[in-house]
Amino acid sequence: MTEAAFRASLALLFETEGVGQPAGDPGGRTVLGISMAAHPPTRGPLERAFWQAVDVAMIPVPLTTRESEARLLLQDSPAVQGAAAAIYRASYWDAYRCGDLPPALGIALFDAVVNQPARDPSEDEGVIEMLQ
């Protein structure tokens, strides 16, 4: 059930998160909700693999392609989605022990921590223990 709950969480996330770089957004370039500011390629191997997958997915895109079409290519790329899933699993699902909770609570906690400013999961240990 843990894997099914994680996949359900990702499906919800990928439905709402897009690709872009909104003006004034401190996160900078963002793909599937993963921002360059929070997950730069220098942070670690998962981030490096993710941003490489993004760059590779954009190679065949002609410069004349509309931005909306380029976004769809990135969002639908299995390599980009797989690399994003690895980051979401390690940095959020596993770090906050979402899989240890009943599925509905695990999905809710995952959504909350993904959409909050970066924190150390150890700061939330009491809340996680209370939810179990």
Side-chain angles (χ1 to χ4, degrees), residues 10-30:
L10 276 184
L12 291 170
L13 182 68
F14 289 170
E15 275 181 32
T16 58
E17 294 291 350
V19 176
Q21 190 168 349
D25 183 346
R29 184 179 183 196
T30 302

Side-chain angles (χ1 to χ4, degrees), residues 85-107:
I87 290 174
Y88 281 121
R89 180 181 292 282
S91 298
Y92 302 98
W93 186 264
D94 291 347
Y96 286 90
R97 299 180 11 220
C98 298
D100 293 347
L101 301 171
L105 284 176
I107 290 169

Side-chain angles (χ1 to χ4, degrees), residues 88-101 106 109-110 112-114 116-125 127-129 131-132:
Y88 281 121
R89 180 181 292 282
S91 298
Y92 302 98
W93 186 264
D94 291 347
Y96 286 90
R97 299 180 11 220
C98 298
D100 293 347
L101 301 171
L109 178 60
F110 176 78
V113 296
V114 163
Q116 297 300 314
R119 313 167 42 119
D120 182 342
S122 65
E123 295 175 25
D124 298 317
E125 279 298 313
V127 173
I128 295 167
E129 304 244 340
L131 290 173
Q132 290 180 324

Side-chain angles (χ1 to χ4, degrees), residues 3-91:
E3 184 63 23
F6 175 67
R7 292 289 164 196
S9 296
L10 276 184
L12 291 170
L13 182 68
F14 289 170
E15 275 181 32
T16 58
E17 294 291 350
V19 176
Q21 190 168 349
D25 183 346
R29 184 179 183 196
T30 302
V31 177
L32 294 177
I34 296 174
S35 71
M36 183 67 80
H39 295 279
T42 55
R43 182 174 178 190
L46 294 177
E47 287 79 8
R48 192 168 30 262
F50 173 76
W51 291 109
Q52 286 174 346
V54 167
D55 290 341
V56 167
M58 293 304 296
I59 287 173
V61 178
L63 291 175
T64 56
T65 303
R66 292 185 308 195
E67 185 178 347
S68 61
E69 293 170 345
R71 288 179 180 183
L72 288 175
L73 285 172
L74 280 175
Q75 286 175 278
D76 292 341
S77 165
V80 172
Q81 286 186 3
I87 290 174
Y88 281 121
R89 180 181 292 282
S91 298

